[in-house]
Amino acid sequence: MLISWPMKTLYSLRMRASRGATHISGAERIVAADELVCATAELMSRAALRHGAPADEVHCIAERIDPATVQYHSFPDVTNYAAPEWRAGRQLALELLTKAGVDAKVAQAGLDLLANGPGANGANMRGAVLMDATSGQRLEPDQQRGVRVSRMDLAPQVRNQIHAELEAAGLGHHRTAEALTLSGKVLAAPGIVAELCWSDEADYITGYVADPQRGYQRITPLKALGDQRGGRVFFVAPNVEVADLIHFLERQPLLFDAIGAIQRQQG
Ligand code: AMP
């Protein structure tokens, strides 16, 4: 949906928190100038209280963005799948990735990569893997860091309304809204064939496969409880202009001003 909102001063607000040398959390918002103080306090306290153990350092940066450059989109449609256990969840993920147009061997390679930890020595990455959907070649310039999707949020003018609609649809947890926001921006990017994600948090076992045609397909479970490995793989069309894609994912401001269709649990 394209709506011309009144031109308000907007800021991209980004938080990252660390304990020792380890990155422990990050979050971001796009907010109007008059919301900046409240939003900063909320992100700071979320980082400080995470898991009951405080962060050593929390950094927040606010950067003004030109409202004329912002793109507006709807959230992807949401489908829910329940699998009997995580192996069946991954089999379903493989099928959904293949349906989206990812070569079956490449889809399996993406699943294996997340299962084994996509970073060096099986570590998690801070960002996502970019993988050619046909050849399986990894395309992100820094395989330690990956590509960080940034500068996306709910439109300030309809934020409360969208939160209420997500809540009514059973997707009210801030984690779900944030994952949808991230995924929605990825699906809006040029050359994206599909995405695969599961969390690196040991107690969060729902993951998803998303593609531009079928939207955001949540799968529970996609990993075993207690497993601390996770990550994201963005499968891209061959010959995509990687620098343009990364620029869009990292720098293009994008706001969601409507939700899509939300389908309830499937078999
Ligand atoms: P989370 O869903 O927050 O547990 O994140 C799971 C994994 O997704 C992380 O380990 C990162 O590899 C990746 N990830 C998290 N945030 C981003 C982001 N903003 N852009 C790209 N990848 C991300």
Side-chain angles (χ1 to χ4, degrees), residues 117 120 157 242:
Q157 298 86 342
V242 176

Side-chain angles (χ1 to χ4, degrees), residues 228-251:
Q228 294 185 328
R229 283 162 302 189
R232 284 180 155 86
V233 183
F234 304 157
F235 297 95
V236 305
N239 308 324
V240 81
E241 196 46 70
V242 176
D244 291 349
L245 173 61
I246 293 176
H247 181 83
F248 181 94
L249 293 171
E250 295 189 338
R251 312 286 316 182

